[in-house]
């Protein structure tokens, strides 16, 4: 298992001459996440976030400041998607990171030139970082699986396959959108448990799902599985992901082939790929399995992966209702929990996905599944918080929510933290609920 | 509901000066299906099958023989995928068909020029007709659902949602291949019902699934459902589709989120899009629902669709084992059944898929689900024929099959027939099973 190395780009004493990058920014010089942006009417191209600025990778590629692999990476990132850059793998990505770290560091001799590559983020539009050929959503958040399973099977919440197979399904790539897209409440079929027949109309149980998104780098050819020991080198980086879900549609449609219209109306990702390189200091040991847990089959097991396969990322869900917005209140934090609450590592998800020969390609997106805490301190869905809708939560202003109401704005946030390192963030993963289309 | 009209291109007395198109060809002048081909080292581009020849649409676009919509269609089909042509919708597609019908008809004044646009199909490579952004597989073959359901729930084979909701799930677009691709037996996790723990290894229950593939034309924007009355205009045409399935992987993995690795190792489609225009004479009344069947919700119901929503296509499955090949035997026909054995029409699948706002895009592919007869005369999977593997079938040469063996070649065939019209075919949907990768 090759893991991204910790090097001078992670030095906690590094600061940037971009002042907004120092202090509590999501994007200090230790982060340097990759995305796609446009300014005014110019064409979208790759960029790197630094404080409240964006460095233009297309311009950087023409600046004469880069050479070798770093230059190749910038050229690959000069178009409207990062797929060509993701296809190059870790080497060029790391070379670009190291060079940009030098150029953006306090004291850089090239500051005057680099200033010409920067745009204020507030004047830019952010786009999906890649053209997503395939989107797969997993179910690796074990406390989510337990919390939800308990609502249906109190004595036996996990299905027999859960601790053997990383459960996943194909999502819809075409409806993945970048943070900020409205989530229109979907219409659909649903049948109340006591109703004779289904009806068609707006979902009454619209929910969020807090997940991490995993962006695939080089990938594999059809028929050539990625061994667990090599899986890490195909993970380009992470984003936040909100797998919006219509629980009433899901309950009625999902047997026997799984979720479909309950999920494919929208999936939101945060705009920046926080790279595997940036995340290296925040890798941590995968939580130990229980004494009674089965040891996974060999194709899913790698000691190095167990040692470094989890991510020390604090994940939060915030909500702001229409009334809160009107009254000028800040979003309310529903909870915060660690991303270590995953039963399977990202490498295990990649190895499993490809073990039958299925191909993964640059720009493909994997969702981890909803990440929740065992208790209510950091759960990733209202389905869990409201006990399947039976126990609505009360917000500080007295409003209650079993599921999402029109006008609610949901914000996912993430922050990677580790002793001795500068914390890095992900940027918002945000969406506001708009009313269903009239029938 | 706008349906493709029957016009002079369907005239049964029309013949072509391409002699091989007359007689029992899949591709008489009444068909003119769309595909992507390459000749030698030339770049792939759009083509039209006529007898045993392929007409080059890129060259046709430069020939001076086309004008207006027909010319626009040929230009859109000049690249390596038909997505731009599919995006144009029925008008330009129909104009191209009408003009090509004139040019290829016996007695055409332009024969000498058109001859320069033709390539012998045997010298060409066929490619996927479109870059498939999204692939969705449905479960609309009601006898398949009944046959399989009976194996698990003899008294109650259909789940309660089946006759209300067109059940579907997202498949994997990246592993769709054109006819001829080998199907490598997938490795994967499976657990025998009486085993304590799962094992990893080659699937021992590899199966085929006989389906129709539906190619999407213009499609819709996210958030803008396609009403049932307009759905037909988004269906560009049909292919044959083999949804190869590993039943043992499927049984172990599919709860609660549906099939995943059991399906995504390969899906095969026949190379030609038999257009909605070509299929117009073969549209027929959707089989009447039973007296006890629920009337579908209004968003799924359109009288014109019921009147014309089924396709009179005879679908066949043929097998050729290694021994049959070695002994020079022709493929053995396992059965033939009608494509009318679908509980939901293609328009209902499109309307359902988009009713929540999910977008469909040009080149997207929908599978109907396995199409089977109530009896064994035309079932679309070995799971059904062999009663879940318990009753292996015997081939004419004495070999038996519960599921597919390495070396088996499977061929799907389809033929649209209607009184008073020349039958049209689809071309093969073929694949041979190769051994699993060594572990």
């Amino acid at each position: 298992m090759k893991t991204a190395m910790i090097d001078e780009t992670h030095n906690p004493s590094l600061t940037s001459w971009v002042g907004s990058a120092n202090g509590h920014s999501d994007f200090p010089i230790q982060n340097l996440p990759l995305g796609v942006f446009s300014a005014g009417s110019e064409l979208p191209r790759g960029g790197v976030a630094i404080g409240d600025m964006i460095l233009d990778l297309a311009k950087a590629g023409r600046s004469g400041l880069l050479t070798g692999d770093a230059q190749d990476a910038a050229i690959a990132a000069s178009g409207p998607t990062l797929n060509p850059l993701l296809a190059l793998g870790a080497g060029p990505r790391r070379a670009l990171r190291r060079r940009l770290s030098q150029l953006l560091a306090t004291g850089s001799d090239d500051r005057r030139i680099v200033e010409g590559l920067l745009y204020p983020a507030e004047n830019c539009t952010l786009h999906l970082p890649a053209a997503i050929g395939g989107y797969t959503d997993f179910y690796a958040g074990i406390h989510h699986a337990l919390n939800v399973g308990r609502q249906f099977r109190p004595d036996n919440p996990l299905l027999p396959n859960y601790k053997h197979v990383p459960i996943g399904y194909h999502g819809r790539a075409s409806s993945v959108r970048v943070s900020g897209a409205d989530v229109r409440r979907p219409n659909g079929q649903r049948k109340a448990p006591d109703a004779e027949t289904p009806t068609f109309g707006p979902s009454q149980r619209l929910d969020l799902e807090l997940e991490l998104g995993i962006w695939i780098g080089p990938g594999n050819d059809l028929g050539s599985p990625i061994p667990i020991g090599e899986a890490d080198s195909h993970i380009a980086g992470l984003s936040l992901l909100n797998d919006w879900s219509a629980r009433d549609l899901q309950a009625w449609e999902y047997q026997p082939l799984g979720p479909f219209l309950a999920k494919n109306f929208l999936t939101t990702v945060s705009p920046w790929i926080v790279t595997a390189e940036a995340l290296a200091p925040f890798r941590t040991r995968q939580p130990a399995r229980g004494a009674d847990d089965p040891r996974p089959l060999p194709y899913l097991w790698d000691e190095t992966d167990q040692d470094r396969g989890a991510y020390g990322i604090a994940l939060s869900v915030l909500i702001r209702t229409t009334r809160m917005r009107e009254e000028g209140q800040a979003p309310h934090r529903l909870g915060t929990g660690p991303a270590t609450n995953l039963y399977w590592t990202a490498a295990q998800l990649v190895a499993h996905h490809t073990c039958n020969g299925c191909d993964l390609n640059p720009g493909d997106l994997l969702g981890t599944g909803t990440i929740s805490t065992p208790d209510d301190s950091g759960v990733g869905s209202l389905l869990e918080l409201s006990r399947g809708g039976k126990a609505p939560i009360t917000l500080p202003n007295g409003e209650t929510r079993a599921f999402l109401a029109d006008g609610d704005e949901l914000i996912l946030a993430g922050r990677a933290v580790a002793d001795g390192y500068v914390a890095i963030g992900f940027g918002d993963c945000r969406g506001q609920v708009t009313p269903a289309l009239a029938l």
Side-chain angles (χ1 to χ4, degrees), chain A:
Chain A
M1 163 99 27
K2 296 171 203 132
T3 50
M5 283 177 294
I6 297 177
D7 61 22
E8 66 273 21
T9 63
H10 302 99
N11 190 328
S13 65
L14 264 187
T15 56
S16 175
W17 51 260
V18 179
S20 57
N22 309 317
H24 193 79
S25 171
D26 272 357
F27 310 120
I29 192 168
Q30 288 81 3
N31 194 346
L32 303 178
L34 301 163
V36 170
F37 79 104
S38 59
S41 60
E42 295 173 21
L43 291 176
R45 66 274 193 186
V48 169
I50 176 76
D52 56 13
M53 306 293 280
I54 297 173
L55 183 142
D56 184 333
L57 287 172
K59 273 194 188 171
R62 298 189 298 266
S63 67
L65 292 170
L66 310 179
T67 58
D69 271 2
Q71 171 73 355
D72 291 348
I75 298 295
S78 296
T81 75
L82 296 182
N83 298 60
L85 174 61
L86 298 174
L88 293 178
R93 208 169 56 224
R94 183 165 179 237
L96 179 64
R97 170 184 173 82
R98 291 165 67 105
R99 182 61 180 139
L100 292 182
S101 178
Q102 294 167 347
L103 292 170
L104 289 164
T106 302
S108 165
D109 292 337
D110 298 302
R111 172 173 175 169
R112 293 295 156 229
I113 307 175
V114 178
E115 279 176 342
L117 312 178
L118 296 180
Y119 293 74
E122 64 180 356
N123 296 345
C124 296
T125 302
L126 294 168
H127 305 270
L128 273 183
I132 303 166
Y135 162 46
T136 298
D137 199 20
F138 284 93
Y139 193 52
I142 185 165
H143 300 302
H144 171 72
L146 284 164
N147 292 341
V148 173
R150 247 178 237 117
Q151 294 181 11
F152 300 100
R153 299 172 301 274
D155 298 329
N156 194 19
L158 285 188
L159 290 169
N161 56 9
Y162 188 87
K163 292 184 173 179
H164 296 279
V165 187
I167 297 295
Y169 68 102
H170 300 119
R172 177 88 191 170
S174 75
S175 51
V176 181
R177 290 290 181 278
V178 76
S179 176
D182 286 341
V183 49
R184 186 174 288 285
R185 180 182 300 277
N187 290 307
Q189 272 198 50
R190 57 279 203 282
K191 191 177 88 65
D194 54 349
E196 278 282 308
T197 55
T199 54
F200 183 81
S203 169
Q204 288 159 17
R205 294 163 71 92
L206 181 61
D207 201 355
L208 75 142
E209 287 198 338
L210 166 67
E211 308 192 13
L212 283 174
I214 300 164
W215 294 96
I216 297 297
N220 61 310
D221 291 333
L222 187 66
S224 298
I226 298 175
I228 179 81
E230 297 172 18
D232 216 42
S233 65
H234 295 276
I235 296 167
L238 305 181
S239 294
L240 307 174
L241 187 150
N242 189 340
D243 177 32
W244 305 95
S245 298
R247 302 297 179 194
D248 40 359
L249 278 56
Q250 187 173 356
W252 176 230
E253 77 174 359
Y254 90 106
Q255 289 284 15
L257 300 181
F260 179 44
L261 299 191
K263 303 275 194 174
N264 66 11
F265 56 94
L266 189 73
T267 304
T268 308
V269 289
S270 56
W272 298 101
I273 300 178
V274 178
T275 64
E277 293 70 50
L279 288 166
F282 310 100
R283 302 286 291 265
T284 182
R285 183 155 186 82
Q286 176 70 356
R289 281 169 157 61
D292 295 339
D293 286 355
R295 185 182 171 92
L297 284 161
Y299 80 98
L300 291 171
W301 195 258
D302 179 277
E303 291 292 347
T304 306
D305 178 46
Q306 291 299 305
D307 198 42
R308 307 257 303 134
Y311 292 91
I313 302 171
L315 298 168
S316 301
V317 179
L318 300 97
I319 188 170
R320 188 155 67 158
T321 67
T322 301
R323 210 178 100 194
M324 291 167 71
R325 220 169 17 250
E326 287 170 357
E327 295 176 357
Q329 291 162 28
H332 168 67
R333 186 178 301 260
L334 292 172
T336 299
T340 48
N341 280 325
L342 291 167
Y343 195 78
W344 303 102
T345 68
Q348 286 174 317
L349 302 183
V350 167
H352 183 65
H353 202 316
T354 63
C355 74
N356 67 343
C358 182
D359 57 318
L360 291 175
N361 295 285
D364 281 356
L365 179 64
L366 313 184
T368 54
T370 309
I371 305 176
S372 291
T373 43
D375 59 24
D376 279 356
S377 63
V379 303
S381 73
L382 287 173
L383 181 71
E384 293 163 84
L385 265 187
S386 72
R387 308 290 183 269
K390 289 177 193 147
I393 59 167
T394 302
L395 302 177
N397 69 357
E399 290 183 280
T400 60
R401 286 292 181 275
F403 293 97
L404 296 172
D406 290 351
D408 286 354
E409 186 179 11
L410 264 289
I411 304 146
L412 311 184
R415 202 152 175 90
V417 286
D419 283 348
Y421 291 94
V422 174
I424 63 176
F426 284 75
D428 282 354
C429 183
R430 181 186 296 259
Q432 186 173 329
V433 181
T434 59
L437 284 178
L439 296 180

